[in-house]
Amino acid sequence: QVQLQESGPGLLKPSQTLSLTCNVSGSSMTTDSYYWSWIRQPAGKGLEWIGRIFSSGNTNYNPSLKSRVTMSIDASKSHFSLKVTSVTAADTAVYFCARNNYYFFDSWGPGSLVTVSS
Amino acid sequence: EIVLTQSPDTLSLSPGEGATLSCRANQGIRNYLAWYQQKPGQAPRLLIYDASIRATGIPARFSGSGSGTDFTLTISSLESEDFAVYYCQQRSNFIAFGQGTRLE
């Protein structure tokens, strides 16, 4: 059974860079053909897909965030990462990592709250 | 850009009743639609993919239908644990979700 777990700082100041890592167990990132995604959810609001990465390093990003987002992967260590530059209060959200099975998300991490505040 | 619009925003029902949730796309998306359930403080859970295929472990009271632009999630007889927020999701040039329907 695949399990995902997000980790990273929970509090940032405006203009800083958000960095999160998702550790994956129960699924081989080197041999299984899945994309791995980041999705975020501001408090009381809906879900926003941020982007995804394949084991090869191939990425796709949401056009609305593309200029500030970078994703990376270390499949041999079973983790992938997210960086969002120049954060503002609008980036305050719960950030989920998820396994992208074709186009849908069949496994999710529990989520990591990131707050941007001066 | 493909936009998903869910209706209603809120659906008020009682246990034992049936629920019908709608998701409409502004362009045809064939059957590339998934449904998720999210409870407070939890990650979403996949219910349905390819518009009508139940994910592993999902009870038979959940069913999905539709193709093209109009999709429906039906819960045949509500149980207490079904009261949650439901999202639809599509893939096109990029992945996007509907705004959600709160089932209360």
PDB file of all heavy atoms in Angstrom, chain A residues 30-49:
ATOM      1  N   THR A  30      11.222   4.368  -9.096  1.00  0.00           N
ATOM      2  CA  THR A  30      12.152   4.124 -10.199  1.00  0.00           C
ATOM      3  C   THR A  30      11.569   3.194 -11.253  1.00  0.00           C
ATOM      4  O   THR A  30      11.953   3.262 -12.419  1.00  0.00           O
ATOM      5  CB  THR A  30      13.463   3.519  -9.683  1.00  0.00           C
ATOM      6  OG1 THR A  30      13.155   2.319  -8.964  1.00  0.00           O
ATOM      7  CG2 THR A  30      14.195   4.484  -8.776  1.00  0.00           C
ATOM      8  N   THR A  31      10.632   2.318 -10.857  1.00  0.00           N
ATOM      9  CA  THR A  31      10.111   1.341 -11.814  1.00  0.00           C
ATOM     10  C   THR A  31       8.631   1.543 -12.132  1.00  0.00           C
ATOM     11  O   THR A  31       8.177   1.152 -13.206  1.00  0.00           O
ATOM     12  CB  THR A  31      10.314  -0.095 -11.295  1.00  0.00           C
ATOM     13  OG1 THR A  31       9.630  -0.237 -10.038  1.00  0.00           O
ATOM     14  CG2 THR A  31      11.786  -0.396 -11.119  1.00  0.00           C
ATOM     15  N   ASP A  32       7.883   2.105 -11.229  1.00  0.00           N
ATOM     16  CA  ASP A  32       6.449   2.292 -11.478  1.00  0.00           C
ATOM     17  C   ASP A  32       6.220   3.512 -12.370  1.00  0.00           C
ATOM     18  O   ASP A  32       6.871   4.541 -12.204  1.00  0.00           O
ATOM     19  CB  ASP A  32       5.695   2.466 -10.159  1.00  0.00           C
ATOM     20  CG  ASP A  32       5.697   1.193  -9.329  1.00  0.00           C
ATOM     21  OD1 ASP A  32       6.017   0.120  -9.902  1.00  0.00           O
ATOM     22  OD2 ASP A  32       5.394   1.259  -8.133  1.00  0.00           O
ATOM     23  N   SER A  33       5.249   3.430 -13.262  1.00  0.00           N
ATOM     24  CA  SER A  33       5.000   4.503 -14.233  1.00  0.00           C
ATOM     25  C   SER A  33       3.918   5.456 -13.738  1.00  0.00           C
ATOM     26  O   SER A  33       2.786   5.440 -14.226  1.00  0.00           O
ATOM     27  CB  SER A  33       4.603   3.899 -15.582  1.00  0.00           C
ATOM     28  OG  SER A  33       5.660   3.145 -16.113  1.00  0.00           O
ATOM     29  N   TYR A  34       4.271   6.262 -12.774  1.00  0.00           N
ATOM     30  CA  TYR A  34       3.337   7.250 -12.258  1.00  0.00           C
ATOM     31  C   TYR A  34       3.966   8.633 -12.309  1.00  0.00           C
ATOM     32  O   TYR A  34       5.178   8.791 -12.205  1.00  0.00           O
ATOM     33  CB  TYR A  34       2.986   6.960 -10.794  1.00  0.00           C
ATOM     34  CG  TYR A  34       2.274   5.649 -10.563  1.00  0.00           C
ATOM     35  CD1 TYR A  34       2.930   4.579  -9.951  1.00  0.00           C
ATOM     36  CD2 TYR A  34       0.945   5.475 -10.939  1.00  0.00           C
ATOM     37  CE1 TYR A  34       2.274   3.378  -9.717  1.00  0.00           C
ATOM     38  CE2 TYR A  34       0.285   4.277 -10.705  1.00  0.00           C
ATOM     39  CZ  TYR A  34       0.957   3.235 -10.097  1.00  0.00           C
ATOM     40  OH  TYR A  34       0.312   2.055  -9.867  1.00  0.00           O
ATOM     41  N   TYR A  35       3.094   9.618 -12.420  1.00  0.00           N
ATOM     42  CA  TYR A  35       3.496  10.976 -12.126  1.00  0.00           C
ATOM     43  C   TYR A  35       3.242  11.216 -10.641  1.00  0.00           C
ATOM     44  O   TYR A  35       2.429  10.532 -10.016  1.00  0.00           O
ATOM     45  CB  TYR A  35       2.689  11.986 -12.947  1.00  0.00           C
ATOM     46  CG  TYR A  35       3.245  12.261 -14.324  1.00  0.00           C
ATOM     47  CD1 TYR A  35       2.885  11.481 -15.419  1.00  0.00           C
ATOM     48  CD2 TYR A  35       4.108  13.324 -14.528  1.00  0.00           C
ATOM     49  CE1 TYR A  35       3.377  11.760 -16.684  1.00  0.00           C
ATOM     50  CE2 TYR A  35       4.610  13.608 -15.784  1.00  0.00           C
ATOM     51  CZ  TYR A  35       4.244  12.824 -16.861  1.00  0.00           C
ATOM     52  OH  TYR A  35       4.744  13.100 -18.101  1.00  0.00           O
ATOM     53  N   TRP A  36       3.919  12.216 -10.099  1.00  0.00           N
ATOM     54  CA  TRP A  36       3.788  12.584  -8.695  1.00  0.00           C
ATOM     55  C   TRP A  36       3.468  14.071  -8.640  1.00  0.00           C
ATOM     56  O   TRP A  36       4.190  14.878  -9.222  1.00  0.00           O
ATOM     57  CB  TRP A  36       5.069  12.238  -7.937  1.00  0.00           C
ATOM     58  CG  TRP A  36       5.410  10.784  -8.081  1.00  0.00           C
ATOM     59  CD1 TRP A  36       6.169  10.208  -9.055  1.00  0.00           C
ATOM     60  CD2 TRP A  36       4.941   9.720  -7.253  1.00  0.00           C
ATOM     61  NE1 TRP A  36       6.203   8.848  -8.874  1.00  0.00           N
ATOM     62  CE2 TRP A  36       5.462   8.519  -7.776  1.00  0.00           C
ATOM     63  CE3 TRP A  36       4.136   9.664  -6.110  1.00  0.00           C
ATOM     64  CZ2 TRP A  36       5.212   7.274  -7.197  1.00  0.00           C
ATOM     65  CZ3 TRP A  36       3.883   8.427  -5.538  1.00  0.00           C
ATOM     66  CH2 TRP A  36       4.421   7.258  -6.077  1.00  0.00           C
ATOM     67  N   SER A  37       2.390  14.386  -7.925  1.00  0.00           N
ATOM     68  CA  SER A  37       1.849  15.744  -7.986  1.00  0.00           C
ATOM     69  C   SER A  37       1.847  16.458  -6.646  1.00  0.00           C
ATOM     70  O   SER A  37       1.911  15.828  -5.585  1.00  0.00           O
ATOM     71  CB  SER A  37       0.394  15.703  -8.482  1.00  0.00           C
ATOM     72  OG  SER A  37       0.298  15.627  -9.880  1.00  0.00           O
ATOM     73  N   TRP A  38       1.763  17.781  -6.749  1.00  0.00           N
ATOM     74  CA  TRP A  38       1.483  18.651  -5.601  1.00  0.00           C
ATOM     75  C   TRP A  38       0.159  19.361  -5.851  1.00  0.00           C
ATOM     76  O   TRP A  38      -0.096  19.858  -6.959  1.00  0.00           O
ATOM     77  CB  TRP A  38       2.593  19.678  -5.395  1.00  0.00           C
ATOM     78  CG  TRP A  38       3.868  19.086  -4.886  1.00  0.00           C
ATOM     79  CD1 TRP A  38       4.959  18.721  -5.626  1.00  0.00           C
ATOM     80  CD2 TRP A  38       4.181  18.776  -3.523  1.00  0.00           C
ATOM     81  NE1 TRP A  38       5.932  18.209  -4.793  1.00  0.00           N
ATOM     82  CE2 TRP A  38       5.476  18.235  -3.506  1.00  0.00           C
ATOM     83  CE3 TRP A  38       3.496  18.917  -2.310  1.00  0.00           C
ATOM     84  CZ2 TRP A  38       6.111  17.827  -2.329  1.00  0.00           C
ATOM     85  CZ3 TRP A  38       4.125  18.507  -1.146  1.00  0.00           C
ATOM     86  CH2 TRP A  38       5.416  17.974  -1.160  1.00  0.00           C
ATOM     87  N   ILE A  39      -0.647  19.444  -4.805  1.00  0.00           N
ATOM     88  CA  ILE A  39      -1.959  20.081  -4.846  1.00  0.00           C
ATOM     89  C   ILE A  39      -2.082  20.892  -3.562  1.00  0.00           C
ATOM     90  O   ILE A  39      -1.608  20.464  -2.511  1.00  0.00           O
ATOM     91  CB  ILE A  39      -3.073  19.002  -4.902  1.00  0.00           C
ATOM     92  CG1 ILE A  39      -2.945  18.180  -6.187  1.00  0.00           C
ATOM     93  CG2 ILE A  39      -4.463  19.640  -4.795  1.00  0.00           C
ATOM     94  CD1 ILE A  39      -3.385  16.749  -6.053  1.00  0.00           C
ATOM     95  N   ARG A  40      -2.704  22.058  -3.638  1.00  0.00           N
ATOM     96  CA  ARG A  40      -2.851  22.852  -2.427  1.00  0.00           C
ATOM     97  C   ARG A  40      -4.292  23.271  -2.211  1.00  0.00           C
ATOM     98  O   ARG A  40      -5.107  23.264  -3.144  1.00  0.00           O
ATOM     99  CB  ARG A  40      -1.946  24.074  -2.463  1.00  0.00           C
ATOM    100  CG  ARG A  40      -2.336  25.153  -3.473  1.00  0.00           C
ATOM    101  CD  ARG A  40      -1.324  26.294  -3.418  1.00  0.00           C
ATOM    102  NE  ARG A  40      -1.701  27.384  -4.298  1.00  0.00           N
ATOM    103  CZ  ARG A  40      -1.003  28.501  -4.418  1.00  0.00           C
ATOM    104  NH1 ARG A  40       0.130  28.676  -3.724  1.00  0.00           N
ATOM    105  NH2 ARG A  40      -1.421  29.454  -5.227  1.00  0.00           N
ATOM    106  N   GLN A  41      -4.595  23.648  -0.966  1.00  0.00           N
ATOM    107  CA  GLN A  41      -5.952  23.994  -0.593  1.00  0.00           C
ATOM    108  C   GLN A  41      -5.934  25.067   0.487  1.00  0.00           C
ATOM    109  O   GLN A  41      -5.644  24.767   1.648  1.00  0.00           O
ATOM    110  CB  GLN A  41      -6.698  22.747  -0.094  1.00  0.00           C
ATOM    111  CG  GLN A  41      -8.149  22.982   0.233  1.00  0.00           C
ATOM    112  CD  GLN A  41      -8.872  21.695   0.576  1.00  0.00           C
ATOM    113  OE1 GLN A  41      -8.326  20.819   1.255  1.00  0.00           O
ATOM    114  NE2 GLN A  41     -10.103  21.563   0.097  1.00  0.00           N
ATOM    115  N   PRO A  42      -6.247  26.297   0.148  1.00  0.00           N
ATOM    116  CA  PRO A  42      -6.396  27.337   1.180  1.00  0.00           C
ATOM    117  C   PRO A  42      -7.535  26.976   2.114  1.00  0.00           C
ATOM    118  O   PRO A  42      -8.474  26.272   1.722  1.00  0.00           O
ATOM    119  CB  PRO A  42      -6.717  28.594   0.364  1.00  0.00           C
ATOM    120  CG  PRO A  42      -6.236  28.295  -1.016  1.00  0.00           C
ATOM    121  CD  PRO A  42      -6.420  26.827  -1.207  1.00  0.00           C
ATOM    122  N   ALA A  43      -7.453  27.463   3.318  1.00  0.00           N
ATOM    123  CA  ALA A  43      -8.456  27.152   4.317  1.00  0.00           C
ATOM    124  C   ALA A  43      -9.862  27.492   3.825  1.00  0.00           C
ATOM    125  O   ALA A  43     -10.116  28.605   3.356  1.00  0.00           O
ATOM    126  CB  ALA A  43      -8.160  27.906   5.613  1.00  0.00           C
ATOM    127  N   GLY A  44     -10.754  26.513   3.902  1.00  0.00           N
ATOM    128  CA  GLY A  44     -12.146  26.737   3.523  1.00  0.00           C
ATOM    129  C   GLY A  44     -12.401  26.841   2.034  1.00  0.00           C
ATOM    130  O   GLY A  44     -13.522  27.153   1.623  1.00  0.00           O
ATOM    131  N   LYS A  45     -11.381  26.570   1.230  1.00  0.00           N
ATOM    132  CA  LYS A  45     -11.530  26.710  -0.227  1.00  0.00           C
ATOM    133  C   LYS A  45     -11.281  25.380  -0.935  1.00  0.00           C
ATOM    134  O   LYS A  45     -11.081  24.350  -0.299  1.00  0.00           O
ATOM    135  CB  LYS A  45     -10.592  27.791  -0.732  1.00  0.00           C
ATOM    136  CG  LYS A  45     -10.917  29.173  -0.170  1.00  0.00           C
ATOM    137  CD  LYS A  45     -10.118  30.259  -0.836  1.00  0.00           C
ATOM    138  CE  LYS A  45     -10.515  31.629  -0.290  1.00  0.00           C
ATOM    139  NZ  LYS A  45      -9.731  32.720  -0.935  1.00  0.00           N
ATOM    140  N   GLY A  46     -11.292  25.427  -2.250  1.00  0.00           N
ATOM    141  CA  GLY A  46     -11.168  24.219  -3.049  1.00  0.00           C
ATOM    142  C   GLY A  46      -9.729  23.823  -3.324  1.00  0.00           C
ATOM    143  O   GLY A  46      -8.777  24.411  -2.809  1.00  0.00           O
ATOM    144  N   LEU A  47      -9.587  22.822  -4.167  1.00  0.00           N
ATOM    145  CA  LEU A  47      -8.289  22.221  -4.483  1.00  0.00           C
ATOM    146  C   LEU A  47      -7.686  22.862  -5.723  1.00  0.00           C
ATOM    147  O   LEU A  47      -8.376  23.082  -6.714  1.00  0.00           O
ATOM    148  CB  LEU A  47      -8.465  20.719  -4.726  1.00  0.00           C
ATOM    149  CG  LEU A  47      -9.039  19.934  -3.553  1.00  0.00           C
ATOM    150  CD1 LEU A  47      -9.573  18.584  -4.021  1.00  0.00           C
ATOM    151  CD2 LEU A  47      -7.979  19.744  -2.473  1.00  0.00           C
ATOM    152  N   GLU A  48      -6.400  23.129  -5.666  1.00  0.00           N
ATOM    153  CA  GLU A  48      -5.674  23.696  -6.806  1.00  0.00           C
ATOM    154  C   GLU A  48      -4.464  22.816  -7.108  1.00  0.00           C
ATOM    155  O   GLU A  48      -3.588  22.641  -6.269  1.00  0.00           O
ATOM    156  CB  GLU A  48      -5.217  25.118  -6.527  1.00  0.00           C
ATOM    157  CG  GLU A  48      -4.456  25.755  -7.681  1.00  0.00           C
ATOM    158  CD  GLU A  48      -4.008  27.167  -7.396  1.00  0.00           C
ATOM    159  OE1 GLU A  48      -3.658  27.456  -6.234  1.00  0.00           O
ATOM    160  OE2 GLU A  48      -3.978  27.987  -8.333  1.00  0.00           O
ATOM    161  N   TRP A  49      -4.435  22.273  -8.317  1.00  0.00           N
ATOM    162  CA  TRP A  49      -3.283  21.473  -8.745  1.00  0.00           C
ATOM    163  C   TRP A  49      -2.119  22.397  -9.056  1.00  0.00           C
ATOM    164  O   TRP A  49      -2.273  23.372  -9.790  1.00  0.00           O
ATOM    165  CB  TRP A  49      -3.665  20.657  -9.974  1.00  0.00           C
ATOM    166  CG  TRP A  49      -2.565  19.848 -10.556  1.00  0.00           C
ATOM    167  CD1 TRP A  49      -2.008  18.713 -10.023  1.00  0.00           C
ATOM    168  CD2 TRP A  49      -1.897  20.072 -11.801  1.00  0.00           C
ATOM    169  NE1 TRP A  49      -1.030  18.231 -10.868  1.00  0.00           N
ATOM    170  CE2 TRP A  49      -0.938  19.045 -11.966  1.00  0.00           C
ATOM    171  CE3 TRP A  49      -2.006  21.045 -12.791  1.00  0.00           C
ATOM    172  CZ2 TRP A  49      -0.108  18.958 -13.079  1.00  0.00           C
ATOM    173  CZ3 TRP A  49      -1.181  20.963 -13.906  1.00  0.00           C
ATOM    174  CH2 TRP A  49      -0.245  19.927 -14.033  1.00  0.00           C
TER     175      TRP A  49
END
